[in-house]
Amino acid sequence: MSAPDAETGDREAEFRAFFERHYAELARLAHLLTGETDAADDLAADAMLALWRRWDRVRAAEHPAAYARGVVANLVRTRIRGAVRERRRIAAFWDRRPEHVEGPDVPAVVDVRTALCALPFRKRACVVLRHAFDLSERDTALVLGVSVGTVKSQTARGMKELQRLLGDRAATELAARRP
């Protein structure tokens, strides 16, 4: 095997090991950020494809797993923005109809996933990364590309909103799961 072939083999083996170590975590992150199981798997796969394409940059990064989480967060953000645009187009279409619904259809029970999906992306990402993934404020800031202060404020505001949506006991239990 020539030197370039050996280097390519090492690169592929290194990526394969990274994939095996982090794919499930990235899919879980995408699931918690989107609330959609099928979309989470697709987003994690898309993230891995993007990481492979930039593997030299990823493996040279100080924190490759944080880099990967950032890629997932960006893909989720793009997906959410697209969904919001689509909902606005649909709402604009249906708003032209003469009949309107008097009251909203409020579900009887609000679970954590539904409550998380109600949070704006940055708050949701901060809460999920801090409480579900046990990342430090610094690591969360690194993943999202924001300051530590932004992580602190967005996490606090997100938890306050979850407390309002879920009730004090449920939000406290969610926060208590962090070691």
Side-chain angles (χ1 to χ4, degrees):
M1 186 181 284
S2 68
D5 291 340
E7 186 178 315
T8 300
D10 291 345
R11 184 176 186 265
E12 290 173 0
E14 191 177 60
F15 180 78
R16 189 175 302 112
F18 181 87
F19 181 96
E20 290 172 3
R21 214 171 28 253
H22 296 286
Y23 181 82
E25 172 193 347
L26 296 177
R28 181 173 168 235
L29 172 61
H31 181 259
L32 288 169
L33 292 176
T34 63
E36 302 172 27
T37 305
D38 295 336
D41 196 45
D42 291 344
L43 287 162
D46 290 347
M48 282 297 187
L49 180 60
L51 292 167
W52 171 246
R53 288 180 179 148
R54 292 180 242 137
W55 184 241
D56 290 334
R57 186 185 312 165
V58 175
R59 70 191 220 193
E62 189 174 337
H63 302 287
Y67 187 101
R69 290 184 199 114
V71 170
V72 169
N74 287 333
L75 288 171
V76 169
R77 183 179 298 118
T78 300
R79 179 182 175 81
I80 289 170
R81 285 179 180 157
V84 167
R85 281 191 299 273
E86 181 65 20
R87 277 189 229 126
R88 285 181 184 151
R89 282 193 294 270
I90 291 169
F93 172 79
W94 287 108
D95 280 349
R96 293 185 205 135
R97 291 182 43 201
E99 58 186 86
H100 291 284
V101 177
E102 292 299 319
D105 181 17
V106 180
V109 178
V110 178
D111 65 3
V112 174
R113 259 190 264 143
T114 302
L116 281 170
C117 287
L119 295 177
F121 175 78
R122 188 173 289 172
K123 286 180 189 172
R124 178 172 58 242
C126 287
V127 168
V128 166
L129 290 169
R130 291 282 293 127
H131 295 287
F133 281 81
D134 298 323
L135 292 185
S136 68
E137 290 166 342
R138 181 182 167 278
D139 289 343
T140 300
L142 182 67
V143 167
L144 297 175
V146 298
S147 70
V148 171
T150 299
V151 170
K152 288 179 181 182
S153 66
Q154 293 295 296
T155 303
R157 290 176 184 153
M159 288 303 292
K160 185 175 182 179
E161 198 159 331
L162 284 176
Q163 214 166 20
R164 183 183 62 77
L165 292 169
L166 297 170
D168 290 337
R169 182 170 168 233
T172 303
E173 287 175 11
L174 176 65
R177 289 188 185 139
R178 273 194 55 200

